[in-house]
Amino acid sequence: MYKLFFLLMMSLVSAQSYRFVYEYKMKPDTAKKDSVIVDYMNLDTDGKKSYFYNSAKHERDSAYAVTKDFKDLFQAKSYDQNLSYIIQKDYATGKMDFYDNFKTVNILIPETESPKWKIEKEFKKINGMNCQKATADYKGRTWEAWFSKEYPVNDGPYKFSGLPGLIIRLEDAESDHVFNLIQIKKINALSVVLPKSPKHITRAEYKQAMANYSFTNEDIEGMDVSKQDNKVSIRLKDGYVARFGADEMKKVRKLDEAITKRLKRTDNSIERN
């Protein structure tokens, strides 16, 4: 069980910026429901906007932006390729944008649909916080959320917001996607950098591109071989670093097919429709 490290000493209504860290458990393969990926996602907010993104990717990109040293990319923590996106929410306008990249193209998908919540008369404590239950059908799944009014931020993980408080726990009916708030901390300012010159596409076009993904040598930005841990790291032009065992690579007859298989996105997307 995780404990929340509370660093909040004043109301979130102030001009301070805060980071809410969620543990994210995802079942990426519909045929293997016992296979679970655990990763960590940040929700940063200054009371006007918020950004939801992968913690390890942000740390890696931030380090590389300063040093411009490829070793910072190859030696950084791993993260799941499905979690390379950034979601920006503007509280005043209600605008929500989904950013990702595909090969060398930065992608932007404007989101026009928000969850329509039903607030239930059920209450319980989660990690010491008083929470209330809410449910919603959203993007082909039924969701159960537990929110707390102790923090006046009407936001939560992924595209979920609009409740009278902060979402502490969020789970779909099949438990394929589960978010748990595990840490809250104060930050100096929002530091997320959005992709430049993104191409506007639809969600359907995005899903089709990911489903039809195929790897070629032209997708490689650089490679690194570590004799210490016997690993081969391949950095793609979209910024993702794929790691393979050196012995595993020696056995591969068709490299492109093997890497394509490894880099295929989930078939159990958080959005079904």
Side-chain angles (χ1 to χ4, degrees):
M1 180 182 292
Y2 290 94
K3 293 181 180 180
L4 289 173
F5 299 93
F6 296 110
L7 301 180
L8 295 175
M9 300 305 291
M10 61 181 68
S11 170
L12 291 177
V13 176
S14 69
Q16 297 291 336
S17 297
Y18 292 89
R19 174 168 296 156
F20 302 95
V21 183
Y22 290 87
E23 177 195 67
Y24 179 23
K25 292 183 178 180
M26 175 182 67
K27 298 176 182 177
D29 191 340
T30 55
K32 298 178 181 178
K33 285 301 186 80
D34 58 341
S35 177
V36 178
I37 289 172
V38 179
D39 222 313
Y40 298 90
M41 308 294 289
N42 293 341
L43 175 68
D44 291 357
T45 178
D46 62 358
K48 298 177 181 179
K49 289 184 178 181
S50 72
Y51 297 94
F52 185 72
Y53 59 92
N54 182 266
S55 176
K57 182 180 186 298
H58 180 69
E59 290 177 7
R60 187 207 68 174
D61 292 349
S62 297
Y64 177 69
V66 173
T67 65
K68 300 299 182 182
D69 190 335
F70 274 130
K71 74 178 181 181
D72 290 321
L73 300 176
F74 291 123
Q75 297 176 3
K77 295 178 184 177
S78 297
Y79 62 90
D80 188 79
Q81 192 182 18
N82 293 286
L83 307 179
S84 60
Y85 59 79
I86 299 172
I87 295 174
Q88 176 185 249
K89 300 170 190 162
D90 187 308
Y91 298 159
T93 64
K95 185 179 179 182
M96 180 162 49
D97 291 319
F98 178 97
Y99 294 86
D100 202 350
N101 43 52
F102 180 71
K103 294 184 180 283
T104 60
V105 180
N106 292 326
I107 292 170
L108 168 58
I109 306 173
E111 181 56 70
T112 58
E113 182 182 353
S114 298
K116 294 178 175 60
W117 296 105
K118 178 184 178 182
I119 298 179
E120 311 286 352
K121 293 183 179 180
E122 291 186 41
F123 305 85
K124 69 177 178 180
K125 279 199 171 184
I126 300 177
N127 290 331
M129 287 179 289
N130 295 314
C131 297
Q132 185 172 0
K133 182 180 176 181
T135 57
D137 291 328
Y138 186 64
K139 304 287 188 178
R141 293 183 184 271
T142 298
W143 293 91
E144 176 182 290
W146 291 88
F147 66 95
S148 175
K149 296 180 181 179
E150 295 179 23
Y151 304 102
V153 176
N154 305 339
D155 208 341
Y158 196 63
K159 298 179 180 180
F160 295 90
S161 61
L163 286 167
L166 176 69
I167 296 176
I168 308 302
R169 178 179 172 86
L170 179 71
E171 180 176 3
D172 73 294
E174 290 82 20
S175 296
D176 287 349
H177 299 268
V178 182
F179 297 91
N180 277 301
L181 181 66
I182 62 169
Q183 188 178 31
I184 303 172
K185 55 187 176 181
K186 192 182 299 182
I187 58 177
N188 292 328
L190 303 185
S191 59
V192 173
V193 178
L194 296 175
K196 295 180 180 180
S197 304
K199 177 181 179 181
H200 286 63
I201 64 172
T202 65
R203 184 74 188 182
E205 291 171 332
Y206 173 81
K207 292 184 72 172
Q208 183 176 10
M210 298 306 172
N212 295 334
Y213 174 85
S214 61
F215 169 84
T216 68
N217 288 333
E218 294 180 356
D219 297 325
I220 296 178
E221 181 75 21
M223 295 182 68
D224 179 72
V225 179
S226 173
K227 295 181 180 179
Q228 184 175 357
D229 56 9
N230 201 34
K231 294 282 186 180
V232 176
S233 299
I234 300 175
R235 181 177 184 268
L236 306 181
K237 290 181 179 179
D238 64 6
Y240 184 72
V241 175
R243 293 183 172 91
F244 301 84
D247 293 336
E248 176 188 3
M249 293 288 284
K250 293 177 183 177
K251 298 176 182 179
V252 172
R253 292 184 177 181
K254 296 182 179 180
L255 183 62
D256 287 5
E257 291 183 10
I259 296 179
T260 295
K261 184 178 180 180
R262 178 71 65 88
L263 298 179
K264 277 287 186 182
R265 299 286 181 113
T266 179
D267 70 344
N268 193 22
S269 174
I270 192 170
E271 298 185 22
R272 280 180 170 161
N273 60 345

